[in-house]
């Protein structure tokens, strides 16, 4: 995360003055996010995740447009399929147990640098 430390303790974020978010998550269950992508591009948001209820796509900003990318820029070692698996698990296990299992997955699979 590149910009988060720069705005961590700010109560008010001023777009155009403060850096953009490192990542935006769009949930496309009822309305597609396509019309918002140009706004995010103008704001220079480097990465967008789009979840449609079944799958997750990572998009990266390149030359003013968003293109699908294989790995997240913010979390390169976290596969989209794993995120979807845990989102769906919460319906059967509940939030608390799912979060516990996700933390364990992170501990087991992602090495700290």
């Amino acid at each position: 995360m590149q910009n988060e430390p720069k705005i961590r303790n700010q109560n008010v974020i001023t777009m155009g003055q403060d850096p953009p978010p490192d990542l935006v998550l769009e949930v496309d269950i009822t309305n597609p996010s396509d019309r918002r992508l140009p706004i995010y591009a103008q704001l220079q948001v480097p990465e967008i995740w789009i979840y449609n209820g079944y799958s997750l796509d990572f998009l990266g900003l390149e030359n003013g447009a968003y293109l699908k990318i294989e790995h997240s820029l913010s979390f390169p070692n976290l596969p989209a399929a794993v995120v979807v698996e845990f989102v769906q698990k919460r319906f059967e296990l509940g939030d608390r147990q799912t979060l516990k299992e996700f933390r364990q997955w992170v501990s087991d699979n992602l090495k700290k640098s």
Side-chain angles (χ1 to χ4, degrees):
M1 297 290 198
Q2 179 179 325
N3 291 327
E4 185 274 333
K6 297 174 188 171
I7 60 171
R8 180 177 299 145
N9 295 317
Q10 287 184 221
N11 291 326
V12 176
I13 306 296
T14 305
M15 295 311 291
Q17 178 180 335
D18 292 312
D22 295 302
L23 172 67
V24 167
L25 172 61
E26 282 283 337
V27 179
D28 281 7
I29 303 297
T30 57
N31 295 310
S33 300
D34 295 350
R35 68 180 188 272
R36 288 186 290 280
L37 295 181
I39 297 167
Y40 294 134
Q42 268 192 307
L43 294 172
Q44 295 292 302
V45 175
E47 180 176 10
I48 298 176
W49 291 9
I50 298 180
Y51 176 69
N52 67 9
Y54 305 99
S55 64
L56 175 67
D57 289 324
F58 298 140
L59 305 178
L61 184 62
E62 188 173 313
N63 298 321
Y66 287 98
L67 304 173
K68 268 191 184 179
I69 54 177
E70 186 69 27
H71 302 282
S72 167
L73 302 172
S74 299
F75 302 99
N77 296 320
L78 180 61
V82 170
V83 176
V84 171
E85 174 188 338
F86 281 100
V87 168
Q88 292 173 346
K89 261 188 179 184
R90 76 175 255 282
F91 293 114
E92 67 181 69
L93 300 178
D95 293 339
R96 189 175 184 164
Q97 183 62 33
T98 302
L99 184 56
K100 182 178 177 181
E101 289 188 18
F102 180 70
R103 285 181 175 148
Q104 186 63 53
W105 184 92
V106 169
S107 178
D108 293 344
N109 292 280
L110 302 180
K111 306 283 186 226
K112 290 187 178 181
S113 307

